Amino acid sequence: MTVRTRLAPSPTGYIHIGNLRTALYAYLWARHNNGQFILRIEDTDRTRLVEDAVDKILQTLTDVGMRPDEWPHHDGGFWPYTQSERLDFYAPHLHRLCEEWTAYYCFCTSERLENLKKEQEELKLPPRYDWHCRHIPLEEAKERIANSEKYTIRLKVPKAETLVFNDLIRGRIEFNTSEVDDQVLLKSDGFPTYHGAIVLDDHAMNITHVMRWEEWISSMPKQILTARALGITLPEYAHLPSVLGNDGKKLSKRTGDAFVSEYLAKWYFPEALLNFLSLLGWHPKQDEEIMTMDEMIAKFEITDIHKSGAVLDPIKLDWMNGEYIKRMEIGELHTRLARYLEQYEEAFYRAVFSQKDYQFNTRIIAELQTRMKRFDEFVELTKFLYSEANIRKDLLANPKMKIESEADGLASLKFALPLLESADYSSLDALKAPILEAIATAGKKNGQVLWPLRVALSGEEFSPGAFELAYILGRDESVSRVKKVLESAK
Ligand code: GLU
């Protein structure tokens, strides 16, 4: 049997970080088994639709490299994939249940149901349908429908039966139907409810495995009973652990949404993000953290998913992104950074970055490669490299480096200037070796020369070392920066 998994979001917003993790697990499991991953849109709740949500969801999945095999505009033999376009499919199945007495027509008005709810609230009873229409004979119900009375279809839930199902992560779970309401399956507007639609759709689309948030466990009794009434077998279920914020609370819909659409696409590499998300609730047997998509696919097992909630730690996400930056080939890193800057730091990109040659830019990128965690740090970290450096004579003295005064610092710069003028800038080592030799020959300590040189080249209290700076800046700029400090002291 071909493994088929699905993501079944409601188009009520952009993709939530938790849904992206659900999508990833569904995708990994499908790919691990050479199966298919489907995007189905659950839009039966007509009040909360967001217009371009479907496009955005598909776009996000595509951007992160998880394009589904089938989606509303890409048929794999099960079209349509949007529930509002499948109304003709649900209705006959649900009416059949009324014929077979496993469901019934309900004519209660919303007013009556409201009053019932209020009464139950006052009596501190759980809100339940009171079976008012459960015993209306079928013929009578049909007549009322023929007379255009509004109706819904409700599932006939047995009084006190134990239902059991086996969750792939949590094992055996039991429910007692005495706690289950007679669920509406078909609404009076002709739309199925979530429970009615999902059971029919998963079956009709040959879905074999459902991954979804653990909150949905409570819907299992209704779905088990609906499937039983319909005479169909349910897929296997893996109810995934919640994703918690750093404060231990569940991610709110709002923070979760913003996180994906506004920040994730912008700040993090999709590979790093997915790698990070994969570990929010799953750990491969081999204790590895950095994995390519192919490695994740190969290693992914539902039995290695944890039960307890996983914490979304932004510091770990930054670290993970930094690891991807560290491992990336420099040309590729340059391409991606340029793309980022062009999109999000346009002024800097046009006036500065794109004006410098590839070699200059890649030397800077290489210098930052082990330290930069996200691209949005780039402009700040490199300000003094791309624009003129501050002249900070106050930083020249540094007793720890045996430079007792500003004058000592300036003397070191005078010593370093000819060395910079004649240095070889073709590689960091070529630049370094002769200068270190000259310092030693002159009987000086490295810090005595390199500290003031670093200050002159960067104009900053903290920066990369003097050699790295000189190597990035090249001969002309290095010499000019040192000269400016010397001139300012005249
Ligand atoms: N439409 C539901 C959601 O938005 C799908 C739940 C399920 O997978 O059964 O999460």
Side-chain angles (χ1 to χ4, degrees), residues 164-336:
V164 176
F165 101 103
N166 190 49
D167 185 81
L168 294 174
I169 300 170
R170 285 148 217 279
R172 184 185 158 93
I173 302 183
E174 275 188 18
F175 305 94
N176 194 302
T177 56
S178 58
E179 282 151 32
V180 184
D181 207 2
D182 273 7
Q183 174 65 39
V184 173
L185 297 178
L186 188 73
K187 294 184 275 187
S188 58
D189 60 3
F191 276 78
T193 56
Y194 159 69
H195 301 282
I198 195 172
V199 170
L200 281 163
D201 282 341
D202 283 340
H203 179 71
M205 295 181 176
N206 290 350
I207 300 300
T208 57
H209 295 82
V210 169
M211 315 253 177
R212 59 183 182 186
W213 286 67
E214 63 184 352
E215 278 85 344
W216 294 105
I217 290 179
S218 58
S219 72
M220 278 313 295
K222 291 172 181 173
Q223 295 176 12
I224 293 171
L225 291 171
T226 307
R228 189 164 83 184
L230 288 162
I232 59 183
T233 325
L234 287 173
E236 305 240 49
Y237 290 87
H239 286 94
L240 307 177
S242 324
V243 178
L244 309 171
N246 246 358
D247 53 4
K249 295 200 183 113
K250 279 191 187 154
L251 284 188
S252 77
K253 181 101 180 110
R254 277 201 59 207
T255 34
D257 270 356
F259 212 50
V260 175
S261 55
E262 284 171 36
Y263 308 127
L264 293 184
K266 176 168 153 185
W267 284 353
Y268 301 106
F269 293 148
E271 308 90 302
L273 170 62
L274 292 188
N275 192 164
F276 171 79
L277 284 181
S278 77
L279 298 172
L280 281 186
W282 168 69
H283 219 285
K285 288 207 177 58
Q286 309 83 339
D287 202 21
E288 278 162 66
E289 291 218 287
I290 308 292
M291 290 171 283
T292 62
M293 181 63 107
D294 285 345
E295 285 165 345
M296 289 192 276
I297 290 171
K299 292 179 184 170
F300 190 76
E301 292 293 347
I302 295 181
T303 42
D304 293 333
I305 298 176
H306 312 159
K307 290 189 199 118
S308 47
V311 175
L312 193 154
D313 176 3
I315 295 175
K316 171 129 194 226
L317 177 53
D318 280 357
W319 169 82
M320 179 74 79
N321 205 58
E323 290 301 303
Y324 276 78
I325 291 181
K326 262 186 216 161
R327 287 154 207 241
M328 198 163 282
E329 188 268 318
I330 198 79
E332 169 72 9
L333 196 54
H334 176 274
T335 307
R336 292 204 194 196

Side-chain angles (χ1 to χ4, degrees), residues 372-384:
M372 185 167 50
K373 305 255 182 294
R374 302 192 320 223
F375 283 165
D376 60 314
E377 297 165 354
F378 186 77
V379 175
E380 184 59 32
L381 285 173
T382 58
K383 263 193 334 231
F384 59 92

Side-chain angles (χ1 to χ4, degrees), residues 107-117 150 152 188:
F107 300 93
C108 291
T109 59
S110 42
E111 219 174 22
R112 178 176 187 277
L113 295 174
E114 269 308 307
N115 288 337
L116 177 65
K117 202 166 136 197
K150 278 194 156 194
T152 59
S188 58

Side-chain angles (χ1 to χ4, degrees), residues 416-459:
L417 186 59
L419 299 174
L420 283 181
E421 281 169 333
S422 60
D424 173 359
Y425 289 79
S426 63
S427 76
L428 190 56
D429 286 339
L431 178 78
K432 223 174 186 174
I435 297 181
L436 286 176
E437 209 181 298
I439 294 173
T441 313
K444 294 180 190 292
K445 295 246 175 287
N446 285 345
Q448 277 178 309
V449 177
L450 299 180
W451 173 266
L453 185 56
R454 188 197 67 70
V455 169
L457 292 175
S458 70

Side-chain angles (χ1 to χ4, degrees), residues 101 104 129 131-136 155-158 182:
W101 285 101
Y104 57 96
Y129 181 61
W131 292 16
H132 186 256
C133 295
R134 190 156 157 154
H135 304 294
I136 298 176
L155 183 65
K156 213 178 249 180
V157 174
D182 273 7

